[in-house]
Amino acid sequence: MDLGSEAVHIDVFTLFPPWFDWFRGQRHVVNAMALGSSVEAVDYRAHTPLKAGQVDDTPFGGGAGMVLRVDVVEAALRARYGEDPVGLREHRRVIALTPGGRLLDDALASELADEPALTLLCGRYEGFDERILEHFVSDQVSIGRYVLAGGELAAMVVMDTVLRKLPGVLGDDSSAREESFSEALEGAPEYPHYTRPAQWRGWTVPEVLLSGHHARVDEWRREQSRRRAGGPLP
Ligand code: ADE
Protein backbone atom coordinates (compact mmCIF):
# COMPACT_ATOMS: atom_id res chain seq x y z
CA MET A 1 0.00 0.00 0.00
CA ASP A 2 1.21 3.47 -0.85
CA LEU A 3 2.10 5.44 2.24
CA GLY A 4 3.23 8.54 0.40
CA SER A 5 6.60 9.86 -0.67
CA GLU A 6 9.78 9.60 1.37
CA ALA A 7 9.81 13.19 2.55
CA VAL A 8 7.80 16.39 2.23
CA HIS A 9 9.17 19.93 2.37
CA ILE A 10 6.58 22.18 3.97
CA ASP A 11 6.65 25.98 4.13
CA VAL A 12 4.02 27.56 6.31
CA PHE A 13 3.35 31.28 5.89
CA THR A 14 2.16 32.91 9.09
CA LEU A 15 2.17 36.05 11.24
CA PHE A 16 3.27 33.89 14.18
CA PRO A 17 6.33 31.82 13.25
CA PRO A 18 7.22 31.01 16.90
CA TRP A 19 4.02 28.96 17.24
CA PHE A 20 5.63 26.38 14.98
CA ASP A 21 8.68 25.93 17.25
CA TRP A 22 6.49 23.84 19.54
CA PHE A 23 5.20 21.79 16.62
CA ARG A 24 8.71 21.14 15.32
CA GLY A 25 9.71 19.82 18.74
CA GLN A 26 7.16 16.99 18.72
CA ARG A 27 8.67 13.51 18.48
CA HIS A 28 7.08 12.41 15.21
CA VAL A 29 7.93 15.76 13.60
CA VAL A 30 11.53 15.47 14.82
CA ASN A 31 11.58 11.96 13.28
CA ALA A 32 10.17 13.25 9.99
CA MET A 33 12.82 15.97 9.82
CA ALA A 34 15.59 13.48 10.62
CA LEU A 35 14.31 11.43 7.66
CA GLY A 36 14.59 14.38 5.27
CA SER A 37 11.32 16.29 5.59
CA SER A 38 11.24 19.95 6.60
CA VAL A 39 8.82 22.35 8.27
CA GLU A 40 9.73 26.01 7.90
CA ALA A 41 7.69 28.97 9.10
CA VAL A 42 7.87 32.05 6.87
CA ASP A 43 6.84 35.40 8.38
CA TYR A 44 4.52 37.48 6.17
CA ARG A 45 5.67 40.53 8.07
CA ALA A 46 9.34 40.01 7.20
CA HIS A 47 8.58 40.74 3.54
CA THR A 48 5.80 43.30 3.67
CA PRO A 49 6.28 46.25 1.30
CA LEU A 50 4.19 48.39 3.68
CA LYS A 51 5.32 50.64 6.51
CA ALA A 52 5.49 49.50 10.13
CA GLY A 53 5.08 45.83 9.27
CA GLN A 54 1.51 46.26 8.08
CA VAL A 55 0.03 43.08 6.58
CA ASP A 56 -3.73 43.53 6.67
CA ASP A 57 -6.36 46.18 6.04
CA THR A 58 -10.01 47.03 6.58
CA PRO A 59 -12.47 45.41 4.15
CA PHE A 60 -13.77 47.42 1.19
CA GLY A 61 -17.50 47.91 1.65
CA GLY A 62 -17.10 48.13 5.39
CA GLY A 63 -17.64 45.59 8.10
CA ALA A 64 -15.77 44.18 11.03
CA GLY A 65 -12.29 42.71 11.10
CA MET A 66 -9.18 42.92 8.99
CA VAL A 67 -8.25 41.19 5.74
CA LEU A 68 -4.80 39.85 4.77
CA ARG A 69 -3.54 41.90 1.80
CA VAL A 70 -2.80 40.45 -1.62
CA ASP A 71 0.34 42.59 -2.11
CA VAL A 72 1.77 41.36 1.21
CA VAL A 73 1.18 37.70 0.38
CA GLU A 74 2.62 38.21 -3.11
CA ALA A 75 5.78 39.79 -1.64
CA ALA A 76 6.24 36.94 0.83
CA LEU A 77 5.80 34.26 -1.85
CA ARG A 78 8.11 36.08 -4.28
CA ALA A 79 10.80 36.46 -1.61
CA ARG A 80 10.61 32.77 -0.75
CA TYR A 81 10.42 31.28 -4.24
CA GLY A 82 11.97 33.94 -6.47
CA GLU A 83 9.14 33.81 -9.00
CA ASP A 84 5.74 35.28 -9.75
CA PRO A 85 3.39 33.42 -7.39
CA VAL A 86 0.78 33.20 -10.16
CA GLY A 87 2.92 30.44 -11.70
CA LEU A 88 3.89 28.76 -8.43
CA ARG A 89 0.77 26.64 -8.10
CA GLU A 90 1.53 25.04 -11.48
CA HIS A 91 4.40 23.09 -9.90
CA ARG A 92 3.72 23.18 -6.16
CA ARG A 93 0.56 22.73 -4.04
CA VAL A 94 -0.19 26.11 -2.47
CA ILE A 95 -2.85 25.56 0.16
CA ALA A 96 -4.82 28.25 1.96
CA LEU A 97 -6.35 27.19 5.27
CA THR A 98 -9.96 28.37 5.17
CA PRO A 99 -13.04 27.26 7.16
CA GLY A 100 -15.01 26.71 3.94
CA GLY A 101 -12.34 24.73 2.05
CA ARG A 102 -12.15 21.03 1.14
CA LEU A 103 -12.61 19.08 4.35
CA LEU A 104 -9.45 17.33 5.50
CA ASP A 105 -9.84 13.55 5.67
CA ASP A 106 -7.53 10.55 5.46
CA ALA A 107 -7.66 10.48 1.65
CA LEU A 108 -6.61 14.14 1.38
CA ALA A 109 -3.83 13.57 3.93
CA SER A 110 -2.52 10.67 1.80
CA GLU A 111 -2.74 12.81 -1.32
CA LEU A 112 -0.70 15.57 0.32
CA ALA A 113 1.82 13.08 1.74
CA ASP A 114 2.56 12.09 -1.87
CA GLU A 115 3.68 15.62 -2.75
CA PRO A 116 7.38 16.50 -2.59
CA ALA A 117 6.59 19.99 -1.28
CA LEU A 118 3.69 21.97 0.15
CA THR A 119 3.05 25.63 0.87
CA LEU A 120 0.49 26.40 3.59
CA LEU A 121 -0.95 29.90 3.89
CA CYS A 122 -2.46 30.88 7.23
CA GLY A 123 -5.03 33.66 7.34
CA ARG A 124 -5.89 35.72 10.38
CA TYR A 125 -8.76 37.95 11.38
CA GLU A 126 -11.43 37.94 8.64
CA GLY A 127 -9.20 35.88 6.36
CA PHE A 128 -7.70 36.43 2.91
CA ASP A 129 -8.31 39.02 0.23
CA GLU A 130 -10.21 36.93 -2.33
CA ARG A 131 -7.57 37.62 -5.03
CA ILE A 132 -5.04 35.59 -3.02
CA LEU A 133 -7.35 32.58 -3.24
CA GLU A 134 -8.13 33.20 -6.90
CA HIS A 135 -4.62 33.74 -8.24
CA PHE A 136 -2.03 32.19 -5.93
CA VAL A 137 -3.68 29.17 -4.36
CA SER A 138 -4.15 25.64 -5.75
CA ASP A 139 -6.30 24.32 -2.89
CA GLN A 140 -8.32 25.53 0.06
CA VAL A 141 -8.42 23.13 3.01
CA SER A 142 -10.62 23.21 6.10
CA ILE A 143 -10.19 21.13 9.24
CA GLY A 144 -13.89 21.45 10.09
CA ARG A 145 -16.92 23.65 9.72
CA TYR A 146 -16.11 26.08 12.52
CA VAL A 147 -14.04 29.22 12.56
CA LEU A 148 -10.64 29.41 14.23
CA ALA A 149 -8.97 32.74 15.02
CA GLY A 150 -6.46 31.91 12.30
CA GLY A 151 -5.09 29.15 10.11
CA GLU A 152 -2.10 28.24 12.29
CA LEU A 153 -3.74 25.45 14.28
CA ALA A 154 -5.34 24.12 11.09
CA ALA A 155 -1.91 24.11 9.39
CA MET A 156 -0.51 22.08 12.28
CA VAL A 157 -3.37 19.58 11.97
CA VAL A 158 -2.73 19.22 8.24
CA MET A 159 1.03 18.80 8.78
CA ASP A 160 0.47 16.27 11.56
CA THR A 161 -1.74 14.05 9.38
CA VAL A 162 0.69 14.32 6.47
CA LEU A 163 3.99 13.77 8.32
CA ARG A 164 2.81 10.71 10.25
CA LYS A 165 2.10 8.98 6.94
CA LEU A 166 5.71 9.18 5.78
CA PRO A 167 7.73 5.97 6.02
CA GLY A 168 9.62 5.59 9.31
CA VAL A 169 8.04 8.57 11.07
CA LEU A 170 5.95 6.55 13.54
CA GLY A 171 8.60 3.89 14.03
CA ASP A 172 6.23 1.14 12.90
CA ASP A 173 4.70 1.85 9.47
CA SER A 174 1.81 -0.55 10.03
CA SER A 175 0.34 1.84 12.60
CA ALA A 176 -0.17 4.48 9.92
CA ARG A 177 -1.33 1.96 7.32
CA GLU A 178 -4.00 0.17 9.31
CA GLU A 179 -5.71 2.98 11.14
CA SER A 180 -9.09 4.62 11.19
CA PHE A 181 -10.46 5.64 7.78
CA SER A 182 -7.47 4.16 5.91
CA GLU A 183 -7.73 2.20 2.67
CA ALA A 184 -6.54 -0.90 4.53
CA LEU A 185 -9.71 -0.73 6.63
CA GLU A 186 -11.87 0.22 3.65
CA GLY A 187 -12.44 3.68 5.10
CA ALA A 188 -13.91 2.32 8.34
CA PRO A 189 -12.93 3.39 11.86
CA GLU A 190 -10.19 1.38 13.52
CA TYR A 191 -10.88 -1.75 15.63
CA PRO A 192 -10.59 -1.59 19.45
CA HIS A 193 -7.21 -1.98 21.15
CA TYR A 194 -6.39 -3.54 24.52
CA THR A 195 -3.20 -3.90 26.55
CA ARG A 196 -2.14 -5.19 29.99
CA PRO A 197 -3.61 -5.84 32.49
CA ALA A 198 -5.82 -8.52 30.92
CA GLN A 199 -8.27 -8.05 33.80
CA TRP A 200 -9.09 -4.80 35.56
CA ARG A 201 -11.98 -4.49 38.01
CA GLY A 202 -13.51 -7.53 36.33
CA TRP A 203 -13.29 -5.88 32.86
CA THR A 204 -11.84 -8.45 30.53
CA VAL A 205 -10.16 -8.46 27.13
CA PRO A 206 -11.73 -10.36 24.18
CA GLU A 207 -10.45 -13.94 24.37
CA VAL A 208 -9.37 -14.00 20.71
CA LEU A 209 -6.72 -11.31 21.32
CA LEU A 210 -5.04 -13.51 23.94
CA SER A 211 -5.17 -16.61 21.72
CA GLY A 212 -1.97 -15.93 19.73
CA HIS A 213 -3.90 -16.98 16.61
CA HIS A 214 -3.01 -14.25 14.11
CA ALA A 215 -5.54 -15.14 11.43
CA ARG A 216 -8.39 -15.14 13.95
CA VAL A 217 -7.16 -11.87 15.47
CA ASP A 218 -7.10 -10.31 11.99
CA GLU A 219 -10.57 -11.55 11.18
CA TRP A 220 -11.93 -10.27 14.53
CA ARG A 221 -10.37 -6.84 13.98
CA ARG A 222 -11.82 -6.47 10.51
CA GLU A 223 -15.24 -7.51 11.78
CA GLN A 224 -15.05 -4.95 14.62
CA SER A 225 -13.94 -2.24 12.22
CA ARG A 226 -16.84 -3.00 9.84
CA ARG A 227 -19.28 -2.99 12.77
CA ARG A 228 -18.04 0.45 13.87
CA ALA A 229 -18.55 1.73 10.34
CA GLY A 230 -22.28 1.10 10.86
CA GLY A 231 -22.69 4.29 12.86
CA PRO A 232 -21.14 6.62 15.39
CA LEU A 233 -19.94 5.15 18.66
CA PRO A 234 -21.55 6.24 21.93
N1 ADE B 1 -9.10 29.15 9.44
C1 ADE B 1 -10.07 29.52 10.28
N2 ADE B 1 -10.88 28.49 10.56
C2 ADE B 1 -10.41 27.41 9.87
C3 ADE B 1 -10.81 26.06 9.73
N3 ADE B 1 -11.88 25.57 10.37
N4 ADE B 1 -10.09 25.25 8.93
C4 ADE B 1 -9.03 25.73 8.27
N5 ADE B 1 -8.60 27.01 8.37
C5 ADE B 1 -9.27 27.84 9.16
Side-chain angles (χ1 to χ4, degrees):
M1 213 211 85
D2 184 14
L3 269 182
S5 57
E6 297 296 304
V8 184
H9 295 282
I10 307 177
D11 292 338
V12 42
F13 287 68
T14 173
L15 293 171
F16 304 100
W19 286 33
F20 294 89
D21 294 344
W22 171 83
F23 182 75
R24 266 200 301 267
Q26 302 311 300
R27 173 53 63 94
H28 60 298
V29 181
V30 169
N31 288 348
M33 294 194 301
L35 290 164
S37 289
S38 60
V39 173
E40 287 189 41
V42 181
D43 192 348
Y44 289 122
R45 236 184 269 282
H47 305 288
T48 180
L50 307 173
K51 280 193 282 249
Q54 187 188 349
V55 291
D56 55 2
D57 227 317
T58 51
F60 285 131
M66 300 292 273
V67 177
L68 194 58
R69 287 175 55 131
V70 62
D71 49 352
V72 170
V73 173
E74 170 159 342
L77 289 168
R78 266 188 198 277
R80 180 73 180 174
Y81 302 111
E83 65 176 273
D84 185 339
V86 167
L88 186 64
R89 63 180 172 184
E90 311 284 321
H91 59 91
R92 183 179 177 109
R93 296 281 279 266
V94 181
I95 299 167
L97 283 314
T98 60
R102 174 175 167 191
L103 279 174
L104 179 65
D105 60 8
D106 188 73
L108 177 54
S110 293
E111 196 182 307
L112 298 179
D114 266 337
E115 296 286 336
L118 300 171
T119 295
L120 303 180
L121 303 182
C122 302
R124 273 269 135 187
Y125 323 115
E126 284 307 294
F128 298 95
D129 183 300
E130 191 64 19
R131 292 165 292 184
I132 297 167
L133 305 176
E134 260 174 51
H135 301 290
F136 300 156
V137 158
S138 60
D139 307 72
Q140 294 185 44
V141 171
S142 169
I143 63 161
R145 295 291 185 243
Y146 43 80
V147 181
L148 300 163
E152 283 76 10
L153 292 175
M156 288 187 215
V157 170
V158 170
M159 291 193 286
D160 196 279
T161 62
V162 167
L163 294 175
R164 66 194 295 288
K165 285 189 178 284
L166 302 177
V169 165
L170 294 186
D172 172 8
D173 288 340
S174 63
S175 44
R177 197 177 306 124
E178 205 169 273
E179 65 183 358
S180 291
F181 320 117
S182 62
E183 259 178 60
L185 295 181
E186 293 158 12
E190 202 176 5
Y191 43 78
H193 298 281
Y194 296 87
T195 187
R196 280 177 280 274
Q199 285 244 28
W200 181 251
R201 298 177 56 183
W203 303 328
T204 56
V205 169
E207 205 44 55
V208 60
L209 298 179
L210 308 174
S211 69
H213 197 299
H214 294 302
R216 279 183 51 217
V217 168
D218 249 25
E219 194 183 317
W220 181 86
R221 286 179 167 165
R222 257 148 250 285
E223 164 58 24
Q224 292 291 314
S225 172
R226 271 193 291 269
R227 188 179 299 178
R228 286 183 163 188
L233 296 171

